[in-house]
Amino acid sequence: MIQLSVVIPSYNRAAQLQACLQALAAQTLSPSTFEVVVVVDGSTDDTRARLAALTLPYPLRIVWQANAGQCAALTRGAAEATGPVIVFLDNDVLPGPGLLEAHAQALQGQATHVGIGRLTMQPPASSSGFTRSFARMWNQHYDRLNEGVRAPGWRDCYSGNLSVPRELWLAAGGFAPDISAGFDIELGYRLEQHGARFVYVHGAVGEHNDYKNFARLAADDEHHGRASLEICRRHPAMRPRLLGGFGETTARALLLRRVLLALRVPARVLAWLSPLTDGRPWADEWYKFLYSYFYWRGVQQAVPDQATWQRLTYRLPILMYHAFGGDDEPASRFVLPRRKFARQMAWLKLAGYHVISLEAYVTAHQAHELPPARAVVITIDDGFADVLTQAVPVLQRHDYPATVFIVSARVGDADQWDTGAALAGRPLLDWPDLTRWRDSRLTLGAHTRTHPQLSTLPAAAAQAEISGSRLDLETHLGEPCRLFAYPFGDYDEATLALVEQAGFAAACSVHRGLNSLTTPIFALRRQEVRGTDSLLRFIAGLIVGDDQLPRRRQAQP
């Protein structure tokens, strides 16, 4: 009885295909329990002669078709398969003797399991530095899966060593024939939508015996970059993984990538530098940078216009303010003079920034949509009374939205949680003030009831602070409260879970840096704007992120 159908697409790799089929003859799984379907995709080499000369112990069916590409060949092979489980295998993979048995055991009786097998790479010493570095990254990826450092998911669905229940494959619709690269991870995403559970199959090991040179690796990576744009158009939820991490690197690497992309430097130019980096301590970092560059070069080639490219590569700053002082109060860390605030808001207007509400950004983030390029969000913590007298007139002058996070049990009272002279005892807004804001562009968020350090509280007390603040605001204001900010920026995993369970849509931390689609929605980064900051530092933070600027002294005001 056939338990597995092995599907192998092949195009002009006769010797590698022959080696793969012979390795399958040495499987520990009985040859009477699996079949092999080879789809020859218009090969013009000696594939036909080599296949005719083979004598194999398992059933082998060969399907001949005109060249239509790997995706079409995989789809044709799956249609020919008769087993309840399909194992997809590349023709350049040498399967270890236990590969099929491991897949069979992992999926036996599991209608929703998708098996992720391991593919090792051991390039010869004569390979280029880029090839060897790529192999090390490849092997490290599987090491993390093998050691349980991270759980497998749709992005690990590489069709070179993948097992899928046939009924699940049919329910998901199979490979998308019009996607030229990344069609296997796109299938993985759709499998997940159909209830698939991805499992790493420890014993399903094969050697990926295809060692590409610099030019082929670069071309493949550009190809995947181009295809990712179409994949994300169909499935926006894939966007954070595939297109959300442009800026998630060091400032130096980001600047260099932007320069190379602006100059549209081709792979052949960078290939000339490869011999100069081989053997250097930083060679792997350089090659990792190049791999990322080629991918984004492919994305750049596929974007329809410059505006889309700017949105893809932009990271959004969320500004964080506290108190605002008049002309008679000196500037300090937490107190920003009104005149400085006015200059900052005027700069945003002059420089063409689009100030959007935190609510709008969160809505876009939840839908995996990109915010406008040069967008910025304004948030204000604690709800001091001077927000109304000093900040609101400036915001209204420019018609800018902002979110103010309120300490709900201290409304109408004063700051009782700070010890610094600038904030301790500082008056807070009262409920009539907050009610008047309903018709303005100011949104109110929750900042707990009494401003404690949440991670130090028992779970019940933390939950009361978090949920209670939302209930207080909704009861007094008669409108939903969806946004939260952690007092002192303090939280742990348990706190984060409590905030999500309380029904908030997002939460702001005080982690420094800019935000992208990869930023966790319950740990959004913010840039603290201090009263002592110069306008130049404010501008620099907008451009590169506060985390890339020299750290400032943390002394209390």
Side-chain angles (χ1 to χ4, degrees), residues 25 77 83 167 424:
E167 292 302 317

Side-chain angles (χ1 to χ4, degrees), residues 118 133-147 284:
R118 177 170 189 149
S133 180
F134 175 80
R136 283 192 292 271
M137 288 190 292
W138 179 277
N139 291 332
Q140 288 166 4
H141 163 79
Y142 282 104
D143 286 342
R144 289 191 291 272
L145 290 173
N146 189 60
E147 295 163 8
D284 274 354

Side-chain angles (χ1 to χ4, degrees), residues 28 38 153 164 211 268 286 293 413 447 469:
T28 57
V38 173
V164 185
Y211 304 113
R268 64 177 180 276
W286 169 244
Y293 166 70
D413 195 355
H447 203 33
S469 62

